[in-house]
Amino acid sequence: MKFAKSYEPGNYEADIYAAWEAAGIFSPSIPTYPVDADGDGVDDRAEAKKASRNIHSRPLRDNGNAPSEASPMTMGRGERVANESFLMPNESTYSIVMPPPNANGNLHIGHGLTVATEDSLIRYHRLKGDSSWYIPGADHAGFETWVVYERTLEQSGHTRFEYDRDELYSRVWNFVSEQRGNMELQLRALGASCSWKDLTFTLDENVIDRVYTTFEKMWNDGLIYRGEKLVNFCPKHRTAFADIEVEHQDEKGTLWDIEYRLSGSELAANEHFANPSESRGDESSRVPDSTGRRPDSATRLSPGVQQTVHEREFGPADSIVVSTTRPETLFGDTAIAVNSNDERYKDLIGKKVRIPLSGREIPIIADEHADPEYGSGAVKITPAHDFDDFEVGERHDLPRIQVIAEDGTMINVPEAYAGLTTEKCRKQVLKDLKEQGYLKGEKKIQHSVAHCYKCGTVLEPMLKSQWFVDVEKLAKVAIDHLENNEIKFYPANKQKVLIDYLKNLKDWNISRQIPWGIAIPMFHKVTEDATDEPDWIFDRRTNLKQIEKAGVTYVRDEDTFDTWFSSSHWPIVCTDWTPENYNPYYPLNVMETGADILFAWVARMIMVGLYVTGEVPFKEVYLHGLVLDAHGKKMSKSKGNVINPMDLVAKYGSDAFRIGILRGRSAGMNQAFSENSVISGRNLMNKLWNISRFIQGMVDGEGESGENISKHSIDTDSQNHNGHGRVSGTEIPGRDRLSRCDFDDRESSELRNISPDSISYSTLNMGEDWICRELNDCKHQIEADMANYRFAEAVETLYQTIWDKYADWFLESQKIYQNTNLLKTTLEMILIMLHPFAPFATEAIWQTLSWTEGFIATANWPADLVYDPISAENFISLITIVSEVRGTLQTLPGTNNAKKYGLYYDKDSLVEDNALLIQTLSHVPFISSLDGTPQGLRLALANHELYLDVPEKVVKAYHDSLEEKILSVGRELDALNARMMNPNYVDKAPAALVRETRDQIEEKEKLISRLKAQFALI
RNA sequence: GGGCUUUUAGCUCAGUUGGCUAGAGCGCAGCAUUCACAUUGCUGAGGUCACAGGUUCGAGCCCUGUAAAGCCCACCA
């Protein structure tokens, strides 16, 4: 294949992905395996061991839905540990599960970051030779999808209440099926090297099965209970939420002061609504005028008055004023609470008051919940509609009266208010209270209000019977394991944050009142009395509305599970963990996900993972932050600053996007992202493409001329051929390749060119030794970065190594004469190292190069290169010289100086031996020796006698620059001297450092004296 | 109220047990054009490392405090 002039990602990406997929290279090489699959009573691990060496010979599992047909033989926990030894020495495993994107959605920028991160890890480990398994997923996204579906339902003029749950479920299933697929195509476009045949959908049967098993175990263990508790309820969607799903927003509100009059007082006795069930009729209009008794009330009620009521200034002690933001709930009041330390109300504790507009009698109680500093210091208690009041109610055993129905309208209230929405009811109540003289003041306040995170509706605390998980024990176990440092967190501080969260965790409401989800496998006996909580039994037959058991009919609970309840099984279900299976992929090596779902998801996966398997579900957690827009603002549709990853992929290529989004990003941080970083990624791909094109050209040229530089090649084993000790890494080149040659069915000899001869090379000049050193350093840096999830640093290192070192210096130096074997070897090394981050371009190049075989995606991570360290270090001197020549020439007046002025050297073997190289790199017209007499302009180098052949008048023009240089070197010298003058430094600093400082001083002094000599000449 | 994080060049970020003469990308300025690459090459300008103390021979880094920005949890009758 020929290299086009520039890299056009669109011409390659789709084909490359299809080829990878067709070759099945994304499946792990080691299968999970029943300990005794054939049921012959013999441990099959020996056979599995054989099988694992023949990669792809055995499907990991038949499909995403069917659990493997394990024999009933179970394996104890201890035995599982022993199984680890079954792995071959070099066959370590590496597993990541994808946080499942919404099955019917499109990928957003966060998914882009997720894939870039996870896929670089997986590809890196695949290159390293680990049996790597990246398991893709799709989320039914219970509530999210439901909201979308319900909207389309409403648009077609229907409502959910026209259908039963089973009907709705199948309708949404079809809806999702139609939409599904986009997200999977987009994952492919991003290069996600996941094992597609193992894709897990959150409603797959094995998922539901596992969730039911866990639920049953919890039920039997007494961790599941049904409780009437206050839940956050969205009246629009008519479902409850977990605490974590609630969005709190600070809003302006009003705090009203309402008077409750003591019963038994003259006034109360005269009132005629002692019976709460009595119809209110139009009584509001004929309420007795109370203002006569309360001369100050009228003034307080003037419109718009803002006033805080702190003192007992309301008149005689036959009433009490409470402060509330929700006057409409007064019909549900079952007490008034005051603080026992509040002198103003001490004598009222134990007395009874009547609720305005209702007349029902409620007690005044003492509870610390009442804050004397807030409002009037007295608070009405509505246990059925406020979380705090609910707790007060529990403490004092108060009744709970529900006055707001699930649809957000009033119930169990006087007729005049019944059926009103809470909003309308509030207006009416305030109007009536005002007219009847109960409203004593109002005040604007700032308070936070719970909203539905999807539709923004104000959530109503609602009394409902729901399924709860008693989390205390689960959290305790999780905390123990976390404190035992069994999971390493990136960033590290999240470990403590998570532990603190678990310590304060409240019981987990797992019921949702939406049809789209996993049905809760509970059935209840039909009882005559609807008020009593019925008997519940566990049963998996949730496809049936009612079941018979021992002659008794049970009816299915209509609720579904909170998605987090099933999601918390994700590492278990994706790896198909079962107690019977040998499964080296659980626990996962790392859980990579967004920092924003640390509590909602990560915490629950840990609790459930431990509960189900006894092990933490993953060894490490890497959390990424939010991707913000270029100005550091959160992306949102309303702001119009949303970046669609697919647009960038289409425009610049998948690799450019991946590199762009990983740059400048670190664990747990919300960081900005802009198209510029993608552009620079695109540029790197093009650079790499042209590097490869250039090298291919040189390789081709070599073939045509028949001159093979490889005759200079040395056997890699003879490392001391040239006098200098040659260094080598710990790995022997070639060995690594041999160890993984079984990546497909071909014979190893047909595979890649792996004979030691063909990959051997010898270095012929300093630049070659130097690039070997730099590439080794780069590789070690990447290894360290990947081990610590420092993706941005790894990419940065590669970027600089490829561009600033490999292209700008090494390749430039190769323009004089080519070491083709080394060019091939180093290019391969660069491509492989970059592959985890830029899978497509590196593969496109790999497939285009004439000498490479197989897929780069399954190549072997490179071994260290062998080189001469002294020679490598000398090249640094050469770089310094060339840079100084270039810099000085640029500073001189005039243009095209590089072509005008030659370079003289005096007794300098480095320059003499490399004259051609220096000339090529600096473009000077000539380099020649000087016989002891300085001539032209001396370069500011301490250890080299070099002069530019510059006429005297140009040298004079350099006067100012030279003076500036002398001053700046002088300042550096002063600083160094000051350091050495400090006796404490000489005494206490490490000897090597002091020595280094001395050397630096010496060098600076030498340089400055030379510059001064030059200066004097001008 | 409790906790976490951030503050380094115009912008976005590195700076791993203190050794720094503080780096990168983008942007900016100048120069270069038969060269693998203009998606290019070369050169350069640009920083009181938020502020104030402290520890140390030595602080961008460690400690204390302050300020600003952002996030999380709780409370908000």
Side-chain angles (χ1 to χ4, degrees), chain A residues 73 141 266 286 375 493 724 842:
Chain A
M73 173 182 165
E266 182 194 340
R286 33 185 190 87
N493 70 302
H724 298 306
T842 50

mmCIF file of all heavy atoms in Angstrom, chain A residues 73 141 266 286 375 493 724 842:
data_model
loop_
_atom_site.group_PDB
_atom_site.id
_atom_site.type_symbol
_atom_site.label_atom_id
_atom_site.label_comp_id
_atom_site.label_asym_id
_atom_site.label_seq_id
_atom_site.Cartn_x
_atom_site.Cartn_y
_atom_site.Cartn_z
ATOM 1 N N MET A 73 -21.549 -28.477 40.718
ATOM 2 C CA MET A 73 -20.463 -28.499 41.696
ATOM 3 C C MET A 73 -20.076 -27.068 42.071
ATOM 4 O O MET A 73 -19.868 -26.218 41.235
ATOM 5 C CB MET A 73 -19.238 -29.181 41.103
ATOM 6 C CG MET A 73 -18.034 -29.085 42.025
ATOM 7 S SD MET A 73 -16.579 -29.841 41.286
ATOM 8 C CE MET A 73 -15.308 -29.180 42.334
ATOM 9 N N ALA A 141 -31.659 2.285 31.379
ATOM 10 C CA ALA A 141 -31.778 3.649 31.889
ATOM 11 C C ALA A 141 -33.188 3.956 32.348
ATOM 12 O O ALA A 141 -33.825 4.885 31.852
ATOM 13 C CB ALA A 141 -31.325 4.646 30.834
ATOM 14 N N GLU A 266 -62.243 30.957 74.897
ATOM 15 C CA GLU A 266 -63.555 31.494 74.582
ATOM 16 C C GLU A 266 -63.797 31.490 73.072
ATOM 17 O O GLU A 266 -64.829 31.071 72.592
ATOM 18 C CB GLU A 266 -63.615 32.932 75.115
ATOM 19 C CG GLU A 266 -64.945 33.596 74.909
ATOM 20 C CD GLU A 266 -64.809 35.092 75.138
ATOM 21 O OE1 GLU A 266 -63.830 35.505 75.791
ATOM 22 O OE2 GLU A 266 -65.674 35.820 74.635
ATOM 23 N N ARG A 286 -68.024 33.616 56.348
ATOM 24 C CA ARG A 286 -68.748 34.120 57.518
ATOM 25 C C ARG A 286 -68.040 33.791 58.825
ATOM 26 O O ARG A 286 -68.636 33.586 59.865
ATOM 27 C CB ARG A 286 -70.189 33.617 57.541
ATOM 28 C CG ARG A 286 -70.364 32.223 56.951
ATOM 29 C CD ARG A 286 -71.799 31.828 56.900
ATOM 30 N NE ARG A 286 -71.948 30.416 56.549
ATOM 31 C CZ ARG A 286 -71.926 29.442 57.477
ATOM 32 N NH1 ARG A 286 -71.806 29.724 58.751
ATOM 33 N NH2 ARG A 286 -72.035 28.187 57.081
ATOM 34 N N GLY A 375 -37.999 31.965 62.719
ATOM 35 C CA GLY A 375 -39.409 32.318 62.633
ATOM 36 C C GLY A 375 -39.955 32.689 63.993
ATOM 37 O O GLY A 375 -39.329 33.430 64.751
ATOM 38 N N ASN A 493 -8.223 10.951 47.474
ATOM 39 C CA ASN A 493 -9.072 11.485 48.539
ATOM 40 C C ASN A 493 -10.492 10.937 48.491
ATOM 41 O O ASN A 493 -11.231 11.018 49.464
ATOM 42 C CB ASN A 493 -9.092 13.013 48.475
ATOM 43 C CG ASN A 493 -9.854 13.523 47.270
ATOM 44 O OD1 ASN A 493 -9.536 13.208 46.138
ATOM 45 N ND2 ASN A 493 -10.902 14.261 47.534
ATOM 46 N N HIS A 724 32.581 0.548 23.631
ATOM 47 C CA HIS A 724 31.753 1.075 24.710
ATOM 48 C C HIS A 724 30.874 -0.047 25.243
ATOM 49 O O HIS A 724 30.396 -0.866 24.487
ATOM 50 C CB HIS A 724 30.836 2.180 24.193
ATOM 51 C CG HIS A 724 31.576 3.350 23.663
ATOM 52 N ND1 HIS A 724 32.529 4.017 24.389
ATOM 53 C CD2 HIS A 724 31.511 3.973 22.462
ATOM 54 C CE1 HIS A 724 33.010 5.006 23.658
ATOM 55 N NE2 HIS A 724 32.410 4.990 22.483
ATOM 56 N N THR A 842 -2.419 4.474 13.989
ATOM 57 C CA THR A 842 -1.274 3.568 14.117
ATOM 58 C C THR A 842 -1.534 2.280 13.342
ATOM 59 O O THR A 842 -0.627 1.747 12.718
ATOM 60 C CB THR A 842 -0.996 3.242 15.599
ATOM 61 O OG1 THR A 842 -2.206 2.827 16.236
ATOM 62 C CG2 THR A 842 -0.421 4.453 16.316
#
